[in-house]
Amino acid sequence: MPRIIAIDYGLKRTGIAVTDPLQIIATGLTTIDSRELIPFLKTYCAQEAVEKIIIGEPKNWDDSDTHATPLVKKAISEIKKHFPQLPLETVDERYTSKMAKDAMLEMGLKKMQRRNKALVDEIAATIMLQEYLGRSH
């Protein structure tokens, strides 16, 4: 079975997570410079079968757009332009960064490790993907 990729897109960094081939477990893959997203996806999709891309959609508590929403919408249009064959779904990402930081605490990571924003982005993408898998199966 092909994998599903999750993207936690940000102005500077983008966290990426993927499923295992059976689409049971979400695993953090990496964090990349956001400007490298399309080249990264091209390389990854050339090496692995990908069924779908999910991307976190930033929203305020009242469902209005955040300052980051236009940035993510632009990334979505770029992904759709370069990967028209892949379905793309947006998912609510409101709690993922907080959940990632809580998870890092629970894992016993030291304060310096918890300040690693790249790791937070990767874990946030993983949480988004695991929640998506829980809802879709």
Side-chain angles (χ1 to χ4, degrees), residues 3-132:
R3 299 173 189 265
I4 299 172
I5 293 181
I7 299 170
D8 181 30
Y9 191 83
L11 178 62
K12 295 179 183 162
R13 288 172 317 279
T14 295
I16 305 210
V18 295
T19 62
D20 62 302
L22 297 176
Q23 296 183 5
I24 298 169
I25 299 167
T27 306
L29 183 61
T30 189
T31 302
I32 58 170
D33 183 306
S34 292
R35 294 172 298 197
E36 296 299 315
L37 179 60
I38 298 301
F40 174 86
L41 289 174
K42 284 181 177 180
T43 301
Y44 187 83
C45 290
Q47 296 168 348
E48 297 284 344
V50 175
E51 175 181 296
K52 181 184 295 181
I53 297 173
I54 67 165
I55 188 166
E57 186 174 30
K59 293 285 184 184
N60 289 311
W61 306 119
D62 64 358
D63 280 338
S64 62
D65 289 352
T66 72
H67 67 285
T69 306
L71 188 71
V72 171
K73 286 184 176 173
K74 185 176 180 212
I76 289 170
S77 69
E78 281 296 302
I79 294 167
K80 284 181 175 178
K81 183 170 87 179
H82 290 277
F83 302 93
Q85 76 286 5
L86 279 178
L88 186 143
E89 284 184 43
T90 58
V91 295
D92 188 342
E93 68 163 32
R94 274 180 270 216
Y95 300 101
T96 54
S97 290
K98 165 101 173 79
M99 290 169 72
K101 289 174 184 165
D102 291 348
M104 292 169 84
L105 263 176
E106 287 175 25
M107 287 188 278
L109 296 183
K110 304 270 183 263
K111 194 172 193 175
M112 286 306 288
Q113 292 170 302
R114 292 193 313 263
R115 286 187 181 154
N116 178 347
K117 289 183 168 78
L119 186 56
V120 172
D121 293 341
E122 184 179 324
I123 292 172
T126 307
I127 290 169
M128 245 185 337
L129 185 52
Q130 195 65 54
E131 285 183 343
Y132 176 83

